[in-house]
Amino acid sequence: QQQQQQQQQKEETQKLKEQKQQTQEIKKAEQKYWRIFTKFCNITQDQWLDIDDQSYAVVQSIKSLRYRLPIENQILQRYIHNNNTDKKDEINMKGVSMSIKDTLWSCYGNTNTLQVSNWKHHYASPDLVSSTSLLLQKQDIDLALSHDLTQHEKMMEGLRSLFSNLSEIHEALSRILDEMMKHHLHVEEDYSEWYKKSILSNKSFQKASSLVELMNELFHMMSMELYRKQCMVYLIIESADDKLLSKDDGIEKGDEGISSQLNLDDELGPKKMVNRCFCQWPFSSSQSCMDESFLKFVLSLNNSR
């Protein structure tokens, strides 16, 4: 009997040691769940979402540039047309004489009009004011058009670069998700009995193991959203054609740009295309694949730790 009791005590001691060791290993497994999840959320918040915001700002810049380019081109063509005429007018303003090709161009100053009566408020001596400071010259329009075309090309190149970086970051997130899946399968296989019990009894471990599903769901949304925006970037780039300088492509009215589905077969002009992409870019758009509330919930779990 004494030997049996000693044997039972040894067995119980051994079981306690094994349980303690297993509990420690499970605790480490739980911490690893959170460690991988934190890494995933940090990259999502600090890099993926940041690049998405930068891309949205670039699209907004392209939209603004495509709105200005036709206006600048139209004014330049009008100036060239006026230069081909022999019409000359002499305008005398407070003793300052200037020669211009057409009186129409007296309305293209800094404030769209020459305010002769207000000269004294802006200049100490009106005689010091030259014609170049009062009228918008052809060189100014050339410079503005050239600058905006250069900026447009830079914005397009910047958009390509941003999405190249975004694709690399998305691939890094897929590797982190793969690491999480392998860890989850390892825990289920090696601690199958304890795992089933802990899911029912250990709320802390239950919360940690549920992070796998959250990461899977969020990554699926982000993948769909990335593909959607890659398509929009392609459409923005491909729409930069000869119509870029024409005015026959107007901005869509009402909610047309927000609600209309984008297709590769859409024959929209440069302005309409970038305007529609701009309207449908945010996560709040009806065309977005991201659930903003779910995204905030997942990121809040990471921030609360």
Side-chain angles (χ1 to χ4, degrees):
Q1 290 179 354
Q2 188 174 2
Q3 289 178 352
Q4 288 178 353
Q5 288 177 356
Q6 290 177 353
Q7 185 66 25
Q8 287 177 356
Q9 287 177 355
K10 287 181 181 179
E11 290 177 357
E12 289 176 359
T13 304
Q14 185 65 25
K15 283 182 180 180
L16 288 173
K17 286 183 180 179
E18 290 177 356
Q19 287 178 358
K20 186 177 179 180
Q21 183 179 0
Q22 195 174 47
T23 301
Q24 291 175 347
E25 290 176 356
I26 292 297
K27 191 65 178 177
K28 288 180 181 178
E30 181 183 336
Q31 291 173 350
K32 189 172 182 179
Y33 274 118
W34 282 105
R35 189 164 58 250
I36 297 172
F37 178 75
T38 299
K39 184 165 57 173
F40 182 88
C41 288
N42 287 343
I43 292 178
T44 299
Q45 190 167 17
D46 298 338
Q47 299 183 43
W48 203 99
L49 295 178
D50 181 60
I51 289 182
D52 182 73
D53 290 340
Q54 290 181 49
S55 301
Y56 183 58
V58 171
V59 172
Q60 185 177 22
S61 297
I62 294 174
K63 175 189 172 184
S64 177
L65 288 166
R66 289 190 180 183
Y67 178 77
R68 294 203 304 267
L69 285 171
I71 299 174
E72 293 168 350
N73 184 60
Q74 186 185 36
I75 294 174
L76 182 62
Q77 295 303 318
R78 190 184 302 173
Y79 193 98
I80 293 172
H81 172 73
N82 291 335
N83 272 352
N84 292 331
T85 65
D86 295 326
K87 182 179 178 181
K88 292 185 179 180
D89 292 328
E90 292 290 327
I91 297 180
N92 292 297
M93 300 177 180
K94 300 287 184 178
V96 179
S97 177
M98 64 187 91
S99 176
I100 60 174
K101 299 292 183 181
D102 199 303
T103 54
L104 172 68
W105 282 96
S106 64
C107 296
Y108 286 97
N110 184 41
T111 58
N112 296 331
T113 158
L114 292 177
Q115 300 178 359
V116 182
S117 61
N118 294 330
W119 275 17
K120 290 182 180 180
H121 298 291
H122 299 287
Y123 303 100
S125 175
D127 296 333
L128 299 176
V129 182
S130 66
S131 61
T132 56
S133 66
L134 295 173
L135 300 176
L136 191 63
Q137 301 296 305
K138 179 177 180 295
Q139 294 86 345
D140 299 329
I141 309 165
D142 283 330
L143 285 172
L145 184 60
S146 176
H147 175 267
D148 282 349
L149 284 171
T150 303
Q151 286 298 112
H152 183 270
E153 186 60 34
K154 286 181 178 179
M155 291 296 107
M156 299 273 277
E157 186 60 35
L159 195 59
R160 292 190 195 98
S161 178
L162 284 171
F163 264 77
S164 176
N165 294 338
L166 190 59
S167 298
E168 291 178 3
I169 292 169
H170 198 75
E171 188 176 345
L173 288 175
S174 70
R175 290 193 293 269
I176 296 173
L177 179 61
D178 185 59
E179 181 185 359
M180 176 65 100
M181 293 300 298
K182 288 179 179 178
H183 172 63
H184 186 61
L185 291 173
H186 171 72
V187 171
E188 283 187 325
E189 290 175 2
D190 290 6
Y191 312 105
S192 56
E193 293 182 4
W194 193 94
Y195 178 81
K196 292 177 182 178
K197 293 179 182 178
S198 65
I199 287 296
L200 299 174
S201 60
N202 192 324
K203 291 184 178 181
S204 175
F205 186 83
Q206 182 180 3
K207 185 177 180 180
S209 61
S210 66
L211 297 175
V212 182
E213 296 178 5
L214 296 178
M215 286 175 61
N216 260 317
E217 183 66 23
L218 182 58
F219 184 78
H220 174 72
M221 288 183 183
M222 293 168 66
S223 299
M224 296 295 292
E225 184 71 4
L226 177 61
Y227 172 73
R228 185 179 76 90
K229 289 181 176 176
Q230 282 174 335
C231 291
M232 286 197 286
V233 169
Y234 172 78
L235 291 172
I236 291 172
I237 293 172
E238 289 298 309
S239 64
D241 53 18
D242 295 338
K243 296 180 181 178
L244 199 62
L245 298 177
S246 65
K247 284 200 70 175
D248 57 353
D249 173 35
I251 296 295
E252 294 172 305
K253 296 180 180 180
D255 296 331
E256 185 181 353
I258 300 174
S259 60
S260 301
Q261 181 68 40
L262 275 171
N263 296 307
L264 293 174
D265 297 331
D266 286 345
E267 294 183 359
L268 300 175
K271 282 202 294 183
K272 278 189 178 180
M273 181 62 74
V274 73
N275 180 64
R276 189 173 293 187
C277 291
F278 175 76
C279 292
Q280 297 183 12
W281 194 279
F283 295 150
S284 57
S285 167
S286 60
Q287 306 296 329
S288 176
C289 300
M290 291 289 288
D291 185 341
E292 277 193 291
S293 58
F294 180 76
L295 174 64
K296 290 178 181 178
F297 168 72
V298 174
L299 296 179
S300 65
L301 285 177
N302 177 53
N303 296 331
S304 63
R305 282 187 62 81

